[in-house]
Amino acid sequence: MDMDTLFEAAWQVAHNSYSPYSRFRVGAALLAEDGSLITGTNVENRSYGLSICAERGAVMAAVSQGKKRFIALAIAAPDADYPVGPCGACRQVLSEFMDSAAPVRFGGRGAERVNTTIGELLPHDSLYELGDK
Ligand code: THU
């Protein structure tokens, strides 16, 4: 599966977002190493701090389905004019299940896309340096 297809899946799932407080929809699509695609969207709560990002939602769904290695990630933020990258907490959680070289693409409603890797998003991660990945 190419990154265009993965980004399109993230874009579609963003429309399922439950984000009445921020009005900021986000979708995430993970490509598992078996070739399957798992998506997630942000789910907010009136107790704001309980809100879950799209990326972590996708990881929780995937692991629940028995998928624990991801080879690519796309994030779509259709309410943003700019590409929206994952928050720090999500970078940490994603790095648990992805190699540092795994490609990541993110974008908003404009044409700009950022193409990067988990390792660039979370440099000097302890697990990479320990050689455990
Ligand atoms: N959000 C995500 O789901 N992923 C990101 O990468 C950035 C932020 C969500 C959290 C919150 O529901 C809303 O976007 C506004 O921050």
Side-chain angles (χ1 to χ4, degrees), residues 4 6 10 27 32-33 40 52-53 55 57 65 68 76-77 89 92 94-95 101 116 118 121 123 125 130-131 133:
D4 289 344
L6 202 62
E33 66 181 356
I52 305 284
C53 296
E55 297 89 330
Q65 293 171 30
K68 298 186 177 68
Q92 178 71 26
L94 290 159
S95 74
T116 182
I118 284 288
L121 291 170
D125 181 44
L130 290 169
K133 293 254 178 145

Side-chain angles (χ1 to χ4, degrees), residues 22 24 26 42 44 53-55 84-87:
S22 71
F24 193 85
V26 183
N42 54 329
E44 298 185 344
C53 296
E55 297 89 330
V84 173
C87 79

Side-chain angles (χ1 to χ4, degrees), residues 22-39:
S22 71
R23 302 199 176 281
F24 193 85
R25 297 167 295 175
V26 183
L30 287 166
L31 180 60
E33 66 181 356
D34 68 358
S36 61
L37 188 153
I38 304 100
T39 56

Side-chain angles (χ1 to χ4, degrees), residues 66-124:
K67 300 175 181 180
K68 298 186 177 68
R69 295 305 302 169
F70 313 121
I71 56 176
L73 166 69
I75 305 160
D79 299 314
D81 291 329
Y82 50 89
V84 173
C87 79
C90 287
R91 293 178 196 207
Q92 178 71 26
V93 170
L94 290 159
S95 74
E96 188 83 17
F97 305 103
M98 301 179 81
D99 290 340
S100 60
V104 179
R105 174 176 295 183
F106 50 89
R109 71 180 153 227
E112 187 187 353
R113 302 285 175 258
V114 172
N115 293 293
T116 182
T117 64
I118 284 288
E120 284 179 0
L121 291 170
L122 192 69
H124 307 294

